[in-house]
Every structure is written in structure tokens, then in C-alpha cells.
Amino acid sequence: MLYVEILGNLPEMAQGEVRALLEMASPEFRIIERDYLFLALKGDKKAFPFLNRLGLAHEYGELLFSAKSLEELYSKAENVKWENYIRGTFKVDRETMVNCSHLVENVERKLGAIISKRGFKVNLSSPETLIRVYCGKKLWVGIRERFFKAKSFNERKADQRPFYKPIALPPRVARAMVNLARAKKEVLDPFMGTGGILIEAGLMGLKVYGVDLRRDMVEGAKRNLEHYGVKNYVLKQGDATKLRELFPDKTFETVATDPPYGSSATLGGRKREELYEKALSSIYEVLDGYLSIAFPAQFNAERVAEKIGFEVLEKYYQRVHSSLDRYFYVMRT
């Protein structure tokens, strides 16, 4: 068993990202239970390389057990073979979620005492093993495998890049879009802009392809990719509605993209709905796999996509600000 603590700003999309990565790791892996922002997973260490790609998560680790009461938690802790899990010193750390249904003020001390009796030493400042207790409707005990530091994502925000435009997806969301598209080897972004989606995909070790109508965006995206150490890329200036002309002999396994939402000037002189429909048709021509894409809520993406031939699998709503609501879609050819 494994666990993931997801972010609270887009929890449904975060859960979808975990589900997609588990699916890529093994057809047998899946989400067993959700307790607010805590996900209990069926899986083993084969999932770690995939969960390392997470964007919309705080951490993941190995799940030892759950309990419906503190008494049950302490009883189960007495029977755990802690020598199989603890390396070096340890610390018990508690996460009290908003739906916590238990009085857990002393759980770190009491669980720590049970483990210390086995001969393990506590180190509160820099433990080698961090034991996590989550309090929700249930109590969950696990061993943290990895914590995703906010700083690393913040260093890739739009205003931290060499080539900067204010309108860009947050890095965590861009990364989640790549994961929702089940990308294993490569990804195409036909509306790459400053390259945010490509940066995240490249840092996962994927080959990235990008297209933009504007030459300055192509040059700027190249600067950004190089800045973050992404070398395996192909960037082209061109029209997202004519992808087959740009890639006459190439079919992509994955497309992840965030088309522009703005005025006709930023849409290449076309009406927004016209651009979206033509872009979806163009993507369909070069894709054999999954598409992860965002559209304003006003655009009937499902109707248009299904008419073209896509199967719409998932959609996630986000209110961005007073004048923009959008959906993130996962589709398949």
C-alpha cells in the first residue's frame, strides 16, 4: 500500500493525476480510498518513478495501516515490524486535516514511545525516517518517501524565467497536464507560448515538441528550455491548426496544451471558437493517444471534440478569476 497527500486547490484534478500515473505504472495499481486530501493506494515501489512526477501533490510514501480509533492505531503499531521500515533515526509527524475526527494532540509522543521501545532513536531536527500520521475520518500511518518542495516549482514560475510573459500556467498545473495525458516518451504542445508545459515535460525526461505562431515565442521558449536544462526538444514556428503540414511524417503519443483565451489579436485574427475547433481537428490528425487540454467554460469542448472523433474521458473545473472559468479535459483518439 502507498499514500499520496494531494493539494487542496484542484483536488479532483490532483486525484486524476494520481490515477493516471498509477495506470501507467501497472494496470493493477489504483486508488483505494480518499479521506479529504489523503489518498490510499494499491501499489508498490514500482510506482515510485511515476509518482516522482507528481505536480499537484505535497508528498507520497508507503502506507503501513489505517485505524478507526487511537486505541486501534496504538494496538496496530505494537505489531508493526518497524525494523522493516525505519532506517537510522526517526520522527513521528502529524497532519491534522480539516475533517479530523479524533483527539490527536499527543499521538506523536505516544506512537514515538511505542517505536522507541524497539531500540530506535528519535531525532526531531533531522530524522532519517519520517513517520507520518494523518488524521481525517480515519487515522493513517505511513513512511514518507518524497516531499515535493514548493520552492522548486516556484523557481519555474513565469516571472522567474529568462523569457517572461505574465499569462502562463502555474508549473504544478502544467506538470499535471502532462501526467493526465499519460506521457511516457514525448509530448507536443501546439500552443507552447513561453514553454511552461514543455519545461515540466522535459524535466521528467520526455522529448518535447513545441509550436507557436509567433517567432518571438519560439525563440523565448528555446531560451527558457535551455535555462532549465532541457535539451531534447524540437520547436517550430507555425499554425496549430495545420500540424500535419509541420509534422508530415510524425504521429505523437501525447499532446498537452493550453490554447490562448484572449482577444482576436492573440488568436491569430480568428474567432476563439473557430480556432479551438480547427486546432482540435489538427491535433486529432497527428495524435494516436491522449490529449490534455484546457478551454474556457463557455466553449462546448465536449460536443466539438466528440464530433471530431475524440473520446472525452475526464474534465476538471477551475475558477481562475472573475472573468475566467475553465475546464481541463482529458481526451483520447
Side-chain angles (χ1 to χ4, degrees):
M1 296 285 287
L2 305 175
Y3 76 88
V4 175
E5 181 192 355
I6 57 175
L7 298 184
N9 55 336
L10 286 167
E12 302 307 321
M13 186 172 172
Q15 182 171 331
E17 181 189 22
V18 174
R19 186 167 55 245
L21 292 172
L22 290 176
E23 178 186 309
M24 292 166 64
S26 169
E28 297 180 357
F29 294 173
R30 64 184 186 275
I31 298 170
I32 300 295
E33 190 173 344
R34 176 174 164 186
D35 190 348
Y36 189 53
L37 299 178
F38 183 94
L39 303 180
L41 317 177
K42 178 185 178 182
D44 57 36
K45 292 183 179 181
K46 291 197 296 286
F48 286 1
F50 295 91
L51 296 178
N52 280 334
R53 292 171 39 164
L54 280 165
L56 299 177
H58 286 296
E59 67 176 78
Y60 79 86
E62 190 168 0
L63 179 60
L64 303 185
F65 61 85
S66 65
K68 294 181 179 179
S69 67
L70 285 166
E71 291 74 16
E72 184 183 3
L73 183 153
Y74 298 135
S75 175
K76 286 186 173 181
E78 292 281 4
N79 296 310
V80 169
K81 294 183 178 180
W82 291 102
E83 61 272 16
N84 293 340
Y85 305 103
I86 296 178
R87 297 293 176 266
T89 58
F90 80 96
K91 175 186 176 182
V92 178
D93 193 45
R94 166 170 51 94
E95 191 74 33
T96 306
M97 298 185 288
V98 297
N99 67 332
C100 178
S101 304
H102 310 271
L103 298 174
V104 291
E105 286 75 11
N106 296 315
V107 68
E108 303 100 305
R109 181 176 57 80
K110 291 184 178 180
L111 179 55
I114 291 171
I115 299 170
S116 294
K117 286 192 301 184
R118 307 288 182 85
F120 298 103
K121 293 184 178 180
V122 175
N123 185 331
L124 299 180
S125 57
S126 55
E128 295 167 81
T129 302
L130 187 65
I131 298 165
R132 294 281 274 154
V133 179
Y134 284 84
C135 180
K137 288 184 178 180
K138 291 184 179 180
L139 295 160
W140 306 87
V141 178
I143 305 289
R144 177 190 282 176
E145 174 69 20
R146 181 174 176 185
F147 177 74
F148 297 96
K149 296 180 180 178
K151 181 181 178 182
S152 63
F153 290 100
N154 292 338
E155 290 171 348
R156 301 194 296 275
K157 284 185 175 180
D159 60 356
Q160 300 298 308
R161 301 170 192 163
F163 180 70
Y164 164 59
K165 296 292 180 183
I167 301 174
L169 288 172
R172 284 185 180 272
V173 175
R175 178 168 286 244
M177 289 187 71
V178 176
N179 290 329
L180 286 167
R182 280 80 168 164
K184 292 184 177 180
K185 297 179 181 178
E186 63 185 16
V187 64
L188 165 67
D189 183 352
F191 295 98
M192 69 177 171
T194 60
I197 288 175
L198 300 185
I199 291 168
E200 296 306 311
L203 291 174
M204 293 185 222
L206 305 174
K207 182 170 184 177
V208 298
Y209 296 80
V211 173
D212 204 277
L213 198 59
R214 291 169 47 179
R215 170 54 54 183
D216 63 325
M217 289 294 186
V218 176
E219 294 299 325
K222 180 180 179 180
R223 285 177 59 196
N224 287 342
L225 288 169
E226 293 283 346
H227 177 75
Y228 291 106
V230 177
K231 305 293 184 183
N232 196 8
Y233 62 82
V234 175
L235 305 184
K236 296 190 177 188
Q237 182 182 3
D239 191 335
T241 67
K242 299 176 181 179
L243 292 172
R244 182 48 76 201
E245 294 179 15
L246 293 170
F247 301 98
D249 304 313
K250 174 69 176 169
T251 299
F252 295 90
E253 67 160 6
T254 298
V255 174
T257 192
D258 180 34
Y261 312 141
S263 64
S264 61
T266 62
L267 301 175
R270 284 167 289 203
K271 292 182 179 179
R272 189 166 68 177
E273 287 72 17
E274 176 192 359
L275 172 64
Y276 292 166
E277 185 164 358
K278 288 185 176 181
L280 279 170
S281 294
S282 178
I283 290 168
Y284 190 82
E285 291 178 355
V286 300
L287 177 64
D288 182 15
Y290 289 88
L291 165 64
S292 175
I293 192 166
F295 286 120
Q298 296 78 13
F299 177 59
N300 193 339
E302 290 171 86
R303 179 186 61 81
V304 173
E306 288 172 351
K307 183 176 68 173
I308 291 167
F310 283 102
E311 179 186 3
V312 179
L313 303 174
E314 305 163 36
K315 61 184 289 190
Y316 304 104
Y317 173 79
Q318 182 187 35
R319 177 178 170 82
V320 182
H321 49 68
S322 59
S323 59
L324 176 60
D325 294 50
R326 65 184 171 197
Y327 283 99
F328 296 93
Y329 295 90
V330 180
M331 306 179 186
R332 182 170 57 194
T333 56

